[in-house]
Amino acid sequence: MSPWAKPFILDVPDADLELLHKKLALVRFPDELEDAGWDYGVPLADMKRLVTHWRDSFGWRKAEREINALPQFTTDIEVDGFGTLNIHYLHQKSSVENAIPLLFVHGWPGHFLEVRKMLPILTSPSPDHPSFHVVAPSLPGFGFSEAPSKPGFRGPQYAEVLNKLMLFLGYDEYVYQGGDLGHSLGVYVANLYGHKHLKAWLSNMPVYRIPSPIWNPLLFLELLTVPFNKRLAEQLESAKRFQTSGMGYFVVQTTVPQTLGYNLADSPVGLLAWIYEKLCKASDHYPWSDDEVIEWISIYWFSRAGPAANIRIYYELTGQNSHDMFEGTKWTSVPLGVSYFPGEPVRLPKSWSHLIGKIVFESEHVAGGHFAAVEQPEKLAGDLRKMFGKAGPAFGVVPGKDGY
């Protein structure tokens, strides 16, 4: 791992912008059935509006300047068996000397900018709540980080990158927040680096395995109460709906990411449709502006490794859909907090969260979905404050850095 951090300035070449606009001008839209709405996927009217906005109105250079106002860097990290990867990350420090080091990890189709709205909340000093030094990397293959070039880059390798990044920054002990793939990778970080380096973590998508009659008999027997337990029945029904109608992307990305990649890498409109559907379907009626959507998609379009590299993580974490995303992991005693948002499409019975780790904090919200850091930044940041604050169950877990 290199001993240096290079400041990162985003500057997309004019030629890349010109090519993008040429592709947008040559778009050929599909037809659409009458009154289809969202039943078959993204509505044609939405796509025409967004493509027109991207081509004719959206100001990338303005968005680029705003992104560059954030403190970003790159550094080289050596990954065992995979050589060196140049990793991009945001590092917003608090003015509080004893601020808690916080690793924020995005998922798919997310990126490092998901943390942007929470930065002023998390880093602000106050005697009433803890403050954090925030590190938000682009995962390998995402955003402006280099992608692995060999097969087999799985959960342990992503965890190695994340942990080594924090150690490089001088944070030998730290806390963690993640949802989606950020949650999945948090399980690996807790398993591999828990207690020694990772002191506690908060998940806003607490999923794991289905209870086993051998290893989790009480939770398994709970399933027998479904006819008499309305809340449990509703949670299982929600999981079933997502399994039957919301997993198409998952099957494709876990089995043939290269095939899908040709569409994502060549067609900005195809990329827009693929991700825009998730932004709308997985959020809790969040009012996405056209600028927000196009900036989000642009991070993928202009990404260092290209728009197709990021989806391979699904293939690698699941062994081409041959097992779940948590292969080789187990329950850990690392203190865990969970935040429940009602619009999260990937919901399992709350009692199953205890299969992940030692739960010390739980919070249930009345609004918010999959992209909680964007949809409800005050609530998610508030959970971090409560969990790690003076009255919280994880206060002082990082020795000498209690946030005050």
Side-chain angles (χ1 to χ4, degrees):
M1 185 162 50
S2 73
W4 51 263
K6 181 181 179 181
F8 175 84
I9 300 296
L10 179 58
D11 185 15
V12 173
D14 288 337
D16 290 356
L17 284 170
E18 291 171 7
L19 177 60
L20 167 64
H21 286 104
K22 286 179 181 177
K23 286 179 173 289
L24 292 172
L26 294 172
V27 60
R28 184 174 69 169
F29 289 108
D31 65 343
E32 183 180 52
L33 298 175
E34 293 182 7
D35 303 318
W38 278 89
D39 291 348
Y40 292 79
V42 181
L44 181 58
D46 282 32
M47 288 300 299
K48 287 184 174 180
R49 185 192 76 250
L50 287 166
V51 169
T52 298
H53 181 65
W54 199 356
R55 184 187 64 223
D56 300 338
S57 307
F58 178 69
W60 168 251
R61 294 303 183 194
K62 177 178 180 292
E64 196 175 59
R65 287 192 297 272
E66 293 173 353
I67 294 169
N68 284 332
L70 299 170
Q72 300 166 72
F73 308 87
T74 59
T75 193
D76 287 343
I77 293 181
E78 185 76 22
V79 185
D80 187 28
F82 290 85
T84 299
L85 293 179
N86 188 248
I87 299 299
H88 163 264
Y89 62 96
L90 179 156
H91 187 194
Q92 181 72 67
K93 299 193 72 172
S94 167
S95 61
V96 177
E97 184 178 353
N98 294 328
I100 305 166
L102 169 66
L103 176 59
F104 174 93
V105 182
H106 68 82
W108 184 91
H111 47 66
F112 74 102
L113 285 180
E114 284 183 73
V115 79
R116 179 162 52 183
K117 291 182 181 179
M118 294 205 300
L119 289 176
I121 307 172
L122 292 173
T123 59
S124 66
S126 172
D128 300 322
H129 58 71
S131 184
F132 300 83
H133 296 315
V134 182
V135 179
S138 294
L139 289 171
F142 287 75
F144 309 111
S145 285
E146 190 176 1
S149 58
K150 297 191 298 185
F153 199 93
R154 302 188 175 97
Q157 285 72 43
Y158 283 97
E160 181 182 349
V161 168
L162 295 171
N163 187 65
K164 283 185 173 178
L165 175 61
M166 294 302 279
L167 300 185
F168 163 70
L169 293 173
Y171 301 134
D172 289 351
E173 298 168 305
Y174 56 89
V175 301
Y176 181 111
Q177 200 285 310
D180 192 81
L181 290 173
H183 162 79
S184 301
L185 298 180
V187 172
Y188 283 95
V189 175
N191 269 257
L192 295 171
Y193 307 106
H195 295 301
K196 181 178 180 180
H197 297 299
L198 175 64
K199 294 300 184 179
W201 63 301
L202 176 74
S203 170
N204 59 287
M205 197 190 82
V207 299
Y208 199 51
R209 300 189 175 108
I210 296 174
S212 159
I214 298 175
W215 302 110
N216 322 106
L218 292 180
L219 288 178
F220 184 81
L221 288 173
E222 183 186 32
L223 295 173
L224 299 178
T225 70
V226 168
F228 319 102
N229 188 330
K230 181 180 179 181
R231 185 179 183 85
L232 179 61
E234 290 174 348
Q235 291 169 343
L236 290 173
E237 181 60 31
S238 173
K240 181 181 178 181
R241 281 197 304 272
F242 182 74
Q243 183 73 25
T244 56
S245 62
M247 292 285 284
Y249 80 96
F250 186 89
V251 174
V252 174
Q253 293 183 176
T254 56
T255 55
V256 287
Q258 187 70 19
T259 302
L260 173 62
Y262 296 109
N263 169 60
L264 303 182
D266 186 62
S267 172
V269 178
L271 177 69
L272 170 61
W274 193 247
I275 293 180
Y276 176 64
E277 178 192 290
K278 298 299 172 288
L279 295 181
C280 294
K281 287 284 188 77
S283 58
D284 187 23
H285 307 289
Y286 179 74
W288 297 99
S289 71
D290 289 354
D291 273 356
E292 280 182 298
V293 171
I294 299 305
E295 180 189 65
W296 193 292
I297 307 304
S298 296
I299 296 296
Y300 276 82
W301 182 255
F302 295 126
S303 61
R304 178 172 180 170
N310 58 88
I311 60 174
R312 296 188 193 117
I313 189 173
Y314 282 84
Y315 181 104
E316 301 293 6
L317 288 185
T318 65
Q320 198 182 12
N321 207 20
S322 64
H323 52 70
D324 63 37
M325 285 193 164
F326 307 104
E327 185 79 354
T329 67
K330 60 183 180 181
W331 182 93
T332 76
S333 59
V334 178
L336 169 64
V338 291
S339 299
Y340 300 105
F341 289 89
E344 169 58 61
V346 188
R347 286 182 292 167
L348 296 174
K350 290 182 182 179
S351 57
W352 295 10
S353 299
H354 292 269
L355 297 173
I356 306 167
K358 179 185 176 183
I359 293 182
V360 299
F361 173 86
E362 291 183 278
S363 179
E364 186 165 1
H365 300 281
V366 298
H370 192 68
F371 305 99
V374 175
E375 300 175 62
Q376 298 289 335
E378 296 86 0
K379 298 298 185 183
L380 186 58
D383 284 351
L384 286 164
R385 285 177 170 179
K386 291 174 186 175
M387 180 172 172
F388 296 103
K390 289 179 179 177
F395 173 65
V397 290
V398 179
K401 297 185 181 296
D402 63 8
Y404 294 89

